[in-house]
Amino acid sequence: PVPSHDAEMNPIFIIARYEAEGSSDRKNTIYGGRGAIMPFTWLELGATTITEEKDEGDFHLYGTDATLKLPLNSTLTAEYAETEGIIDINNSLALDRGTAHAFELKSEPTKGLSLTGYYRNADEFFYNPSAVDVTRGNLKYGVNVAYQATDTVKIKAEHFYEEDSINTSDYRHDALKVEKTFGKATLASLGVMQESSHHSTSNPFAYPSSNPFAGADSTASSPGFSARPTLTTRTPFGVSEDVPEDLTALTGGLEMPLIDDRLDLRLSHRQDITGDANNLSQAELGLRINDKNRAYLRQEYASFGESDEWRTAIGTESEIAKKTVNYNEYRMQSDENGTAHQKVIGVRNQWTLT
C-alpha cells in the first residue's frame, strides 16, 4: 500500500496517464484553409477556417483579421475568432462555442525606436490549443518599448496586465532592461522588474484533470505567494504553482556563442531585493542544428526562502511557421518533497488567435 502522506505530512499522489484507441470505424480528418486579399495597398483582409473531426465531437475554428498600414511607419492588426468543440468544464466534457478578439499596434516612428501595444480577450469557452498565449477566460494587454541608444546599447521596457476570469486571479508585470553587445554576438543585460498577483475569492481552485496537481488543496497560500496560479508562464521552465504576490528584483543575463555560432551559452539570474524569497538562476546550452532547428539543455536553481528547487530540461524546438515553434521537451524537478518528471510536446504560436 502507498501511504497518503510522507513523514513530513506532505500529500502523496499516484498519477496514471494512458491513451486508448476507440472502437469507432469513423475516419477522422483535419482540414482547413486560409485566404487573404488586399483591396487597397494599405489594407489586407484575411479569413481562416479549420475543422478537426473527432469521435466525441468535431472541433471548428473560424477567424477573420484585418491589417491596416498607418502613418509614422505603423501597422494596426485586428483579429476575431470563434471556436466550437468539446472542452473540459469542471472535469466534465461539454460542447461549447467561444469567441476571442485581439488588437496589436506596431510602430517605428523614428530611427531606433520601436513601440508595440496589444489587447487580447478570450471568453471562458474559447479554446485553441495551437495558440499557446491565448487561453480560456484570459484578458491581457500591454506595451513594449525598445530604443537603440547606440550601435551597441539597447534599452527595453515592458508592461502588461493579465486577468484570469476562470480562476479569478490577475497578474501585473513591469520591467526595464539595458542590453549591451560585445563583439559580433555576445550580449549582456542588466535590469529591474516588478510583478504582483492576487486572487479575489477563497473558493478552492480546481486544477485541470490533466495537471499533475489535480486533486490537491490549493486554498492554503504560502507566505508571500498567491495560492492560485495565473496562466502566465513566467520562466522558460514554468512548472512551479507558486506566483509571488509581490516581487521586485534585479535581473542580469549573458548570451554568447561558443563554437562557430552553432553552440551558444545563455546565463541569467533574478535576485529578489525586497525579501530574498524568490531567486532564480538559469544556465542553458543551445545547439543550432540548422536555420530552423535547435536543441538545448537547461539547468535552473530556484530559491523560495524556505524551499529550494533544482530543475533540468532537455529538448528540441523547430520553427514550422512565422511566430510558430514546435517543441519536444523532457523536464525533471527536484525539491524537498521529492522529484517529478514531465514529457512535453507542443506548439508555441504567439499572439495570433487562429
Side-chain angles (χ1 to χ4, degrees):
V2 178
S4 59
H5 296 81
D6 62 16
E8 298 180 354
M9 298 305 295
N10 297 308
I12 297 176
F13 302 99
I14 299 177
I15 302 173
R17 298 181 181 179
Y18 64 92
E19 294 183 0
E21 295 184 359
S23 58
S24 173
D25 294 330
R26 177 181 175 181
K27 302 297 183 181
N28 295 326
T29 59
I30 301 175
Y31 54 90
R34 160 75 183 173
I37 61 172
M38 293 188 65
F40 308 100
T41 57
W42 46 268
L43 178 64
E44 178 179 309
L45 303 175
T48 303
T49 178
I50 298 174
T51 295
E52 180 182 0
E53 296 179 347
K54 298 182 178 181
D55 290 345
E56 65 273 16
D58 296 346
F59 170 79
H60 304 280
L61 170 66
Y62 312 98
T64 59
D65 58 88
T67 302
L68 179 65
K69 294 182 179 180
L70 301 173
L72 298 178
N73 198 22
S74 304
T75 302
L76 175 65
T77 302
E79 188 174 3
Y80 174 82
E82 292 186 3
T83 60
E84 181 180 3
I86 302 294
I87 60 176
D88 186 346
I89 302 178
N90 295 327
N91 295 323
S92 61
L93 299 179
L95 177 64
D96 276 290
R97 177 186 291 268
T99 63
H101 56 276
F103 302 92
E104 183 179 42
L105 176 64
K106 292 184 176 181
S107 179
E108 296 182 2
T110 62
K111 183 179 179 181
L113 177 63
S114 63
L115 309 171
T116 302
Y118 58 90
Y119 174 90
R120 183 179 63 248
N121 193 357
D123 67 24
E124 296 184 4
F125 304 110
F126 180 83
Y127 176 67
N128 181 8
S130 296
V132 69
D133 203 30
V134 183
T135 50
R136 291 175 48 201
N138 183 262
L139 164 70
K140 185 176 182 179
Y141 57 84
V143 177
N144 295 318
V145 180
Y147 177 64
Q148 191 74 45
T150 67
D151 291 340
T152 60
V153 176
K154 177 179 285 189
I155 303 172
K156 293 183 176 180
E158 178 187 29
H159 164 78
F160 70 83
Y161 173 80
E162 186 175 19
E163 189 174 291
D164 175 8
S165 61
I166 294 179
N167 303 314
T168 58
S169 62
D170 61 70
Y171 174 75
R172 194 192 80 244
H173 176 90
D174 298 280
L176 177 65
K177 180 170 64 173
V178 178
E179 296 180 344
K180 170 72 173 178
T181 302
F182 298 91
K184 294 183 178 180
T186 300
L187 180 68
S189 64
L190 183 65
V192 61
M193 60 167 290
Q194 202 282 332
E195 61 181 7
S196 62
S197 66
H198 71 276
H199 57 87
S200 57
T201 178
S202 59
N203 294 330
F205 165 70
Y207 292 109
S209 58
S210 59
N211 191 293
F213 292 87
D217 179 10
S218 62
T219 58
S221 297
S222 301
F225 291 91
S226 171
R228 185 171 291 104
T230 66
L231 296 180
T232 296
T233 300
R234 296 164 40 252
T235 68
F237 193 109
V239 297
S240 175
E241 301 299 328
D242 289 326
V243 177
E245 291 180 345
D246 189 69
L247 170 67
T248 302
L250 294 177
T251 61
L254 178 66
E255 300 179 16
M256 58 184 300
L258 296 180
I259 302 176
D260 297 332
D261 295 333
R262 293 183 60 85
L263 185 68
D264 61 83
L265 174 66
R266 302 180 184 184
L267 305 174
S268 66
H269 180 70
R270 182 187 69 208
Q271 181 66 42
D272 185 352
I273 60 176
T274 55
D276 195 33
N278 200 294
N279 305 314
L280 177 66
S281 300
Q282 299 175 337
E284 178 179 301
L285 279 175
L287 175 64
R288 184 175 64 86
I289 301 172
N290 51 45
D291 291 341
K292 296 185 178 296
N293 297 279
R294 179 176 177 270
Y296 56 89
L297 171 64
R298 183 170 59 247
Q299 180 69 45
E300 294 188 4
Y301 170 72
S303 174
F304 299 116
E306 298 180 355
S307 64
D308 298 326
E309 292 181 5
W310 287 95
R311 310 167 185 166
T312 304
I314 182 171
T316 60
E317 56 186 21
S318 303
E319 182 181 350
I320 57 178
K322 184 179 180 181
K323 294 186 178 182
T324 303
V325 175
N326 176 60
Y327 65 96
N328 189 326
E329 187 171 279
Y330 183 74
R331 303 171 177 175
M332 295 164 283
Q333 175 179 324
S334 176
D335 55 27
E336 66 272 13
N337 296 321
T339 60
H341 302 265
Q342 291 180 328
K343 180 64 164 44
V344 182
I345 300 174
V347 176
R348 300 186 184 98
N349 181 17
Q350 295 185 339
W351 306 124
T352 56
L353 302 179
T354 56

